[in-house]
Amino acid sequence: MQKSTVVKILLIFILVFTSTGLFAKETKKEGEGGLKSEIKAFIDHHLQDSHDFTLFSDKEANSHFGFPLPVILWDNGLKVFSSSKFHHGETVAEVDGNFYKLYHSKIYKTDPAGTINYDEHHHATNVKPLDFSITKNVVSMLLIGLLMIFMFGRLAKSYKKNNAIPTGVGRFLEPLVLFVRDEIAIPNIGEKKYKKYMSFLLTIFFFIWFLNLLGMTPLAVNVTGNIAVTFALALLTFLITNLTANKNYWGHIFWMPGVPTFMKVVLAPIELLGVFIKPFSLMIRLYANMTAGHVVLMSIVGMMFLFKSWIGSPLSFGLAFALSLLELLVAALQAYIFTMLSALYFGMANEEAHH
């Protein structure tokens, strides 16, 4: 090993240990309930859904800049009011003689003082009314849905006007549409039956991708990091797969051909379990990858405020910038993986018997 390489490695170790020492000293100064806890709370808030759309906040002035969203509850009747009544969880909302408190992004029924009762595990035991509110994630999905309708509507019109030659935003969309068709749908489903699945595959690809990109903006939206959203997307794939499956697909699950009878009895429950494991893996894969990306990126950004040194802060900033570029790739990659696996399941459900 050359001397210059050894020197570089030693310098890197010195920088790392110096930064680590500065981090430890700063943590001691701030204390467990100081800046470190505040950063953790900010990350937790970023990962959760919310009943208002806050663009940014001024903590010193205790002011928030954004707009409230409608709260829709079912509590012995329909209750509709603005989330501004909660004042970002600081006050209790009174509606028709009932009192509601926003606590950890969930709405609980309380008394006028906003008392939250806990069990032995420190979980809130207050009654939770059915919540059908238009939250930040719902608004984001509606915006992306409208954006997709607008973009693909323009693409369709450009095809009609220019003899199947796209113009404007269609020039950006057409290669991606062809990619989904030629690299995902046809290889996994087959040329005979891929067309009936193309609308879903295109929708799911662009929907997930655009939501992932929206999560990279300062709007602090984490839609695909919400397990309820990934569950709904995986459920659609599960329903389409099993409702459009042919006899050969079900035959391989319940009575696998070419296998001894004893093994058929053993394999049938395993194959049936696999029917539910596939969409479950889709749900967890998208949720876990996007959540992990947000946590790591926000943690590295928070480290800039913890280090407070000319060494640690620039290193954290550089690492956060590099990770942001990587997250742009991950945003497209996760959309591709979800779409590709969905197409693979559709192809397995429509595979013809081989004699």
Side-chain angles (χ1 to χ4, degrees):
M1 186 180 293
Q2 298 180 355
K3 292 183 179 179
S4 59
T5 305
V6 175
V7 172
K8 290 178 181 178
I9 294 174
L10 289 175
L11 287 174
I12 291 173
F13 273 105
I14 292 171
L15 289 174
V16 171
F17 281 114
T18 304
S19 301
T20 305
L22 290 171
F23 171 75
K25 291 179 181 178
E26 190 60 41
T27 303
K28 290 179 181 178
K29 291 179 182 178
E30 297 290 344
E32 292 298 325
L35 185 58
K36 187 176 179 181
S37 299
E38 186 178 334
I39 292 172
K40 183 180 182 301
F42 180 81
I43 295 173
D44 292 338
H45 176 74
H46 169 76
L47 295 176
Q48 295 175 350
D49 197 3
S50 64
H51 288 77
D52 53 46
F53 220 114
T54 303
L55 301 178
F56 57 93
S57 303
D58 186 352
K59 184 180 177 182
E60 295 181 357
N62 194 25
S63 58
H64 306 273
F65 300 89
F67 53 90
L69 297 172
V71 177
I72 306 172
L73 303 177
W74 182 265
D75 182 24
N76 295 323
L78 192 63
K79 313 291 182 184
V80 181
F81 57 96
S82 173
S83 64
S84 60
K85 286 193 172 186
F86 291 122
H87 196 65
H88 305 278
E90 297 175 4
T91 59
V92 177
E94 181 181 0
V95 182
D96 298 333
N98 297 310
F99 298 91
Y100 304 99
K101 182 175 179 60
L102 186 63
Y103 181 71
H104 291 308
S105 299
K106 296 180 181 179
I107 298 176
Y108 295 91
K109 196 171 182 178
T110 66
D111 54 20
T115 305
I116 299 293
N117 301 313
Y118 303 93
D119 58 14
E120 61 273 12
H121 302 291
H122 201 70
H123 296 153
T125 58
N126 295 56
V127 176
K128 286 195 300 182
L130 291 177
D131 192 354
F132 301 98
S133 303
I134 307 299
T135 61
K136 182 171 66 174
N137 284 354
V138 175
V139 171
S140 301
M141 288 187 285
L142 290 174
L143 288 176
I144 293 299
L146 293 174
L147 176 64
M148 290 173 60
I149 292 173
F150 171 77
M151 294 175 66
F152 284 99
R154 293 290 298 272
L155 176 61
K157 290 180 180 179
S158 67
Y159 272 128
K160 291 181 180 179
K161 291 182 179 180
N162 302 287
N163 297 322
I165 299 176
T167 58
V169 71
R171 295 179 180 179
F172 166 75
L173 293 175
E174 187 187 44
L176 297 173
V177 172
L178 295 177
F179 172 78
V180 173
R181 185 194 69 181
D182 298 337
E183 303 297 332
I184 298 178
I186 294 178
N188 291 289
I189 303 174
E191 294 187 3
K192 293 182 179 180
K193 298 184 178 181
Y194 81 92
K195 289 184 179 180
K196 67 178 181 179
Y197 297 105
M198 273 298 294
S199 58
F200 175 77
L201 294 176
L202 286 172
T203 301
I204 209 73
F205 175 80
F206 286 100
F207 186 70
I208 294 175
W209 185 32
F210 288 167
L211 283 176
N212 290 344
L213 291 178
L214 186 63
M216 296 295 297
T217 64
L219 295 176
V221 178
N222 183 36
V223 180
T224 50
N226 187 319
I227 198 165
V229 175
T230 59
F231 169 78
L233 297 176
L235 181 63
L236 289 174
T237 297
F238 171 78
L239 292 175
I240 294 173
T241 300
N242 292 284
L243 292 177
T244 62
N246 57 22
K247 294 181 180 179
N248 179 60
Y249 172 77
W250 294 112
H252 275 75
I253 291 175
F254 291 105
W255 207 248
M256 189 175 295
V259 176
T261 304
F262 171 74
M263 291 303 299
K264 290 180 180 180
V265 176
V266 174
L267 291 175
I270 299 175
E271 290 294 326
L272 183 60
L273 183 62
V275 172
F276 298 94
I277 291 176
K278 291 172 185 175
F280 179 78
S281 66
L282 275 180
M283 174 187 70
I284 295 298
R285 180 182 289 107
L286 180 59
Y287 162 75
N289 281 284
M290 299 313 301
T291 300
H294 282 273
V295 170
V296 172
L297 183 58
M298 298 295 291
S299 299
I300 293 174
V301 172
M303 288 171 65
M304 289 189 290
F305 300 94
L306 285 172
F307 283 129
K308 293 182 181 180
S309 67
W310 66 273
I311 297 177
S313 295
L315 286 177
S316 298
F317 175 80
L319 186 57
F321 178 76
L323 189 61
S324 297
L325 298 180
L326 182 62
E327 281 292 300
L328 292 176
L329 174 63
V330 172
L333 183 62
Q334 290 303 316
Y336 166 77
I337 291 175
F338 195 102
T339 308
M340 188 270 292
L341 289 176
S342 296
L344 180 62
Y345 299 156
F346 298 157
M348 294 170 61
N350 288 273
E351 187 178 4
E352 299 295 338
H354 298 286
H355 300 286

